[in-house]
Amino acid sequence: MRYILVYKIIILFTLLCVTTAQAQRVQQTLPSKTRILFLLDGSGSMLAGWGNTNRITAAKELLTELVDSLKSNDQLELALRAYGHLYRRHSQNCRDTRLEVGFGKNNHDQIINKLKMIDPKGTTPIAYSLEQSANDFPSAPGYRNIIIIITDGIESCDGDPCAVSLALQKKGIFLKPFIIGIGMGKEYKDQFKCIGEYYDAKDIQSFQKALSKAVSTTLDKTTASVELLDINNAPKETNVNVSFVNNFTKEPAFDFVHYRDTQGRPDSVVLDPVLTYDVVVNTLPPVIKRNVNLTPGKHNVITIKSPQGGLSIKQRGATAYGSGVKALIRQKNSAHLVHAHDINTNQQYLVGEYDIEVLTIPRRHFKNISVEQDKTTSISLPDPGILNINNSAAGYGSIYEIKPSGEQEWVYNLPHDQSRVTLAIQPGNYKIVFRVDRAPGSKYTAIKTVTIEEGRSVVVKLFD
């Protein structure tokens, strides 16, 4: 027996160590490798003059320099797709796009040579090209998929690049695209923001800068910490779920339970700077900081005011209601439900004032209840009494509470097919109105009054 006991202890200890090790392993990480697809505009308008050259020549030269500079990065794969370069403009071919160089290792020279061969001719099928690019990315996991669109014009084939981009991002085909507008002007930003992040390249220098920024945003390691501020703007709140939601697709990208070390410092997490986030602090109610853009390659500190206090709603005899009682918590003068609070539990809420509706029988209402920083506001309800109703026959009836003002308020409808009813009900004065099913008229309605006392039981016979 002793050896069996020792063996069981060893097994339990081993399981504990394995579970602890798994819990301390980083659970949410970015893929270690990246794919970048360059989607290059080869339409006829790219032959327009730009500085001392033309748009297509400048784009090809700068893209060539960039591709050449990325040869040493073994965590990166590149590909090249072009559009508007296969058919003349007069044909208005809205399927004029082709993957010129697919993803692969050490294909940089292949991309550079293919760039030399692109000759602008046709139209601008951005939506169709984006749609086809979904097939360009291999299905192998462990990669972040990025698209950099280089164009000098908007969609010219009646396609909807906004809808295509959103659909493919929702499917996880690629992250939010970068769009570099060559010689287009900032006024086009609104037309492209539904596709991705737009950069206005008004001249060759700004084009080079935009291209470099798109790549550095993709590749640079970026971290962030979240400071949850209390009512005094001190970063002391913690242990709250914080969600980083993709602002474009509205889908969660990262979820963390906020942490502070023994010195009160929040930890850092690695995030993807390609995305724009809505940061949701999942307090009750939640606090949302929208349109958060991270500075690539830097540590970002995100401050969000989310002061909290406790609320405790107590009733010793709540179990008399069977499965327990809940309280509906709403912000002051608001119809929006914040939370369904279980009786006899302590729950954290944002500092503020709340209206509370406790789902006892009858319901009890509390207005303008204050929740304060680092304090617990307590509400106590009297224990219910037990009302036992006996009746010799089926019928129809209701229970009303008689208010101190003399007004009555409906509380409960008696079940038609039960001759005995046992009901947990709050202390107070009540009236029972009942008519037997077989009675030949309303005038045979019976009325009984009863007083319910805390923790006590009472029997009412509707007909003696």
Side-chain angles (χ1 to χ4, degrees), residues 57-128:
T57 300
K60 292 197 293 187
E61 287 178 353
L62 292 176
L63 196 51
T64 294
E65 290 178 10
L66 176 65
V67 170
D68 187 64
S69 71
L70 296 173
K71 286 181 177 180
S72 61
N73 191 332
D74 60 1
Q75 300 297 303
L76 176 66
E77 290 187 13
L78 305 177
L80 173 67
R81 172 178 283 273
Y83 61 83
H85 65 306
L86 301 175
Y87 300 89
R88 294 294 175 186
R89 182 183 293 272
H90 62 80
S91 68
Q92 189 60 24
N93 191 316
C94 288
R95 295 193 172 188
D96 184 356
T97 182
R98 185 168 67 193
L99 178 65
E100 296 294 349
V101 181
F103 286 103
K105 296 183 181 298
N106 304 316
N107 63 353
H108 304 77
D109 289 338
Q110 188 180 354
I111 292 175
I112 290 170
N113 289 332
K114 186 60 68 172
L115 282 170
K116 296 175 182 177
M117 300 168 62
I118 292 176
D119 180 23
K121 296 181 179 71
T123 189
T124 312
I126 297 177
Y128 182 75

Side-chain angles (χ1 to χ4, degrees), residues 147-368:
I147 289 184
I148 299 178
I149 303 171
I150 301 167
T151 185
D152 74 337
I154 60 175
E155 171 73 29
S156 62
C157 284
D158 297 324
D160 189 346
C162 299
V164 172
S165 178
L166 178 59
L168 294 180
Q169 287 183 67
K170 279 183 171 289
K171 290 180 180 178
I173 303 298
F174 50 71
L175 297 174
K176 181 176 68 174
F178 298 96
I179 306 101
I180 303 176
I182 296 178
M184 295 179 66
K186 293 182 178 179
E187 62 270 21
Y188 285 91
K189 183 174 184 178
D190 287 342
Q191 297 188 47
F192 280 105
K193 69 180 181 181
C194 61
I195 303 175
E197 186 72 21
Y198 177 75
Y199 297 114
D200 174 39
K202 61 183 179 181
D203 51 35
I204 294 175
Q205 184 178 7
S206 59
F207 173 77
Q208 185 177 29
K209 184 178 179 180
L211 195 57
S212 297
K213 185 174 181 180
V215 173
S216 64
T217 297
T218 300
L219 300 180
D220 291 349
K221 181 179 178 180
T222 304
T223 59
S225 59
V226 180
E227 295 279 15
L228 301 181
L229 308 181
D230 66 10
I231 198 69
N232 299 311
N233 291 322
K236 294 183 178 180
E237 298 288 349
T238 191
N239 297 330
V240 180
N241 289 10
V242 178
S243 302
F244 286 77
V245 176
N246 184 328
N247 173 266
F248 194 79
T249 65
K250 308 305 178 186
E251 297 176 338
F254 301 92
D255 282 286
F256 303 103
V257 178
H258 192 267
Y259 171 83
R260 290 189 182 280
D261 62 19
T262 55
Q263 297 181 359
R265 298 171 301 190
D267 63 338
S268 298
V269 292
V270 177
L271 297 176
D272 198 327
V274 172
L275 302 179
T276 297
Y277 298 99
D278 290 339
V279 184
V280 182
V281 183
N282 293 287
T283 48
L284 293 172
V287 180
I288 305 175
K289 189 168 189 174
R290 300 192 183 278
N291 300 314
V292 175
N293 289 295
L294 303 178
T295 302
K298 305 287 184 181
H299 178 68
N300 298 258
V301 178
I302 303 167
T303 59
I304 304 178
K305 194 164 186 175
S306 48
Q308 294 183 93
L311 177 62
S312 175
I313 304 174
K314 302 176 181 178
Q315 186 183 49
R316 288 179 302 171
T319 53
Y321 288 103
S323 59
V325 179
K326 290 186 180 292
L328 304 182
I329 312 298
R330 296 179 172 87
Q331 287 181 296
K332 179 181 176 181
N333 298 327
S334 171
H336 177 71
L337 180 65
V338 171
H339 185 54
H341 183 128
D342 289 316
I343 293 291
N344 295 321
T345 63
N346 189 354
Q347 178 67 56
Q348 294 289 103
Y349 293 90
L350 282 182
V351 168
E353 292 190 328
Y354 295 87
D355 294 336
I356 300 172
E357 181 181 8
V358 186
L359 301 181
T360 50
I361 299 175
R363 300 186 181 194
R364 294 300 186 225
H365 299 265
F366 301 87
K367 296 288 188 180
N368 305 334

